Amino acid sequence: MSFIFRDNAIFYGLIVYFSRKVFKIMRVKIVTGMFLSACSTLVSAQNTETFDSPLNISIHASGNFGELRGTHFHTGLDIKTQQRIGLPVYAPADGYVSRIKVSTWGYGKALYIDHPNGQTTVYGHLNAYAGDIAKLVLDRHYGEKNFEIEIFPRKNELQVKKGQIIAYTGNTGGSGGPHLHYEFRDTKTQNIINPLKEGMDKRLTDTQAPTVNGLYVYPVGDGAVANESETPSLLTYTTQKDGTLLVTPVKGRGDLSFGIDIHDTANYNTNKNGVYLLETFVNGKPLFSYRFDTFSFNETGYVNALIDYERYLNTKKKVQKLFFEKTYSLSVLTVDPSKGVFNVKSGQNYNYSIVLSDYHGNKTTISIPVEFSNSVAKTKKVAPTGEYKINSDRDYIFEKKNVTVSIPAKAFYNDFVMDMSVENDVLKLHKPVVPFAKSMSITFDTSAMNISNRDKAFIARVDGGKRDYFKTTKKGNLWTIYAKSFGDYKILIDDTAPTIDNASFTEGKWLSNESEISFQIRDNMSGIDTINGYINGNWILLDYDYKTRKIVHKFSDGKVVSGRNDVVIKVKDSVGNEGVYESHFFRQ
């Protein structure tokens, strides 16, 4: 006879009951201790979970955990869906739906499932939900009369079983192509966990070692020189018979370190993904390393501290700095007290090595001989120019003419020298080569400014030909925005309404065999804010994809009637200009 205990209180009650019986009969305390220990092990085993794949296809990754993205470390595994939309997504384990979010941006249509083992799985960029989940979502859309919604079902309200279809893959939100974003989190802390640690490693075939795209030496300290340069320089290397990359010896002095541009891939895959493990050594001593097993969401911005940010802006190459300029708290890093830097002294030679590993243990090793040299630098470091020396540990308030800039402490990762000026009501605030960790506030005093239409005016970033809208808080003549980028800022006016065109039907057409209607919407300045559609005076759901500027209404919602259907689409931009489209169609 076997028992399955589904209630821990009953389970432990039975443990105590049988333990007392054993103790009474045997009169030996050790028996009870052994029995309780065995039962504790059984309870622990009940809390383990084996996760199946969420897709019933071969698994290939278009993006992996910890990969360096534009503004963050990637938080999951992006699984290719054969460039298709609508593949079934299966629950990889039992659990219940804890959160549903539909957003224009980010994960688009997303689903969260809490599992009994204390983990949450996340599914992003979905095209649609399935079953009772889909019904709840549709009801909420129409209940709130909004495309963007967020739902937190009660615990066990929407239970799912392993292998159940929960959704369908898509390309919604910030997705760059059809795929499934698959993510693991610790339910309690919300820390993100590498999906390869949860069994997905066994579903990927990977015998390919990480690849080096470029290697750079960085003179870090004052007076440091490497290969006759005070600035970072590209290194050359050859591949040895054992696969090791041997770099042409670096000759220099003072505090040096390195930067590296790398990627990883796998079998049957050409995508350039991130590297799981990087380790550096000087003469065998560990210096700087990272391992992407888990991290928290508030650490994702540190990607801009890890890379050479200015080089990335200028070249789009993500060169990872293997040292600290100023210490920052990124949990995946292990760094020697020297901050990843070593001092090259007269009469001594060094061997700096880098070992790159993927999750499956494939390795690439780089060996860099370093020799002392007292050569004069032919390439000099350009001294920074600017009016203000910024210590990133401090907060600042700067005022120029009618503009005030407030910067909180820890807004930046490193110290630097900043420029600021105001000319013809345009704030020129440094150059956009410094990454931000926190937002600064910019306030314009508009009392003496000639603004023709204040209701339609806003503060925008305008450098480089851009006209980026910022939500502007207006308190009388004081107008404020929050921004995380340097550049030029000024007040612009948007008095042009959004456009609605490219309807999928002509007016008066019969659409008896169609399943949906669609339109394209555009705004030339402040951006789309709200979208509302009506058929015969009743609000309808319009799916919006900002990448294609397309809005779609599906007839399966049941809002059309037999005969004539009058359609009205209303689109507002961020300052309240409204575009309106009216038409009608017929349907049997």
Side-chain angles (χ1 to χ4, degrees), residues 371-388:
E371 304 170 0
F372 177 83
S373 174
N374 208 21
S375 300
V376 176
K378 294 180 180 179
T379 304
K380 297 287 187 177
K381 185 183 298 184
V382 178
T385 58
E387 187 175 357
Y388 307 104

Side-chain angles (χ1 to χ4, degrees), residues 330-343:
L330 177 56
S331 62
V332 301
L333 293 178
T334 302
V335 185
D336 181 88
S338 68
K339 298 182 180 179
V341 175
F342 66 103
N343 186 264

Side-chain angles (χ1 to χ4, degrees), residues 135 162 169 209 231 264 268 329 337 372 455 515 529 558 583 587:
K135 184 179 184 306
K162 179 185 284 191
T169 62
T231 63
D264 190 33
Y268 322 112
S329 300
F372 177 83
D455 289 341
S515 61
D529 183 42
S583 186
R587 183 172 169 84

Side-chain angles (χ1 to χ4, degrees), residues 395-408:
D395 54 1
Y396 296 89
I397 297 177
F398 300 104
E399 295 182 354
K400 289 267 187 173
K401 297 183 179 178
N402 62 327
V403 180
T404 301
V405 177
S406 298
I407 301 174

Side-chain angles (χ1 to χ4, degrees), residues 44-63:
S44 177
Q46 285 185 328
N47 289 332
T48 62
E49 184 67 84
T50 301
F51 290 88
D52 285 348
S53 173
L55 296 177
N56 190 24
I57 57 173
S58 297
I59 301 300
H60 303 290
S62 58

Side-chain angles (χ1 to χ4, degrees), residues 1 58-59 160 187-188 191 197 209 214 227 266 276 300 315 324 328 409 424 437 443 457 476 519 536 566:
M1 180 178 291
S58 297
I59 301 300
V160 298
T187 303
K188 184 176 181 179
N191 285 350
K197 294 177 65 66
N227 292 344
Y276 167 67
T300 58
T315 68
F324 281 154
Y328 55 91
N424 300 319
T443 299
F519 312 84
N536 304 322
D566 293 303

Side-chain angles (χ1 to χ4, degrees), residues 155-171:
K155 185 175 182 179
N156 295 322
E157 177 183 351
L158 281 175
Q159 296 188 45
V160 298
K161 292 294 184 181
K162 179 185 284 191
Q164 175 183 332
I165 296 176
I166 53 176
Y168 299 91
T169 62
N171 186 32

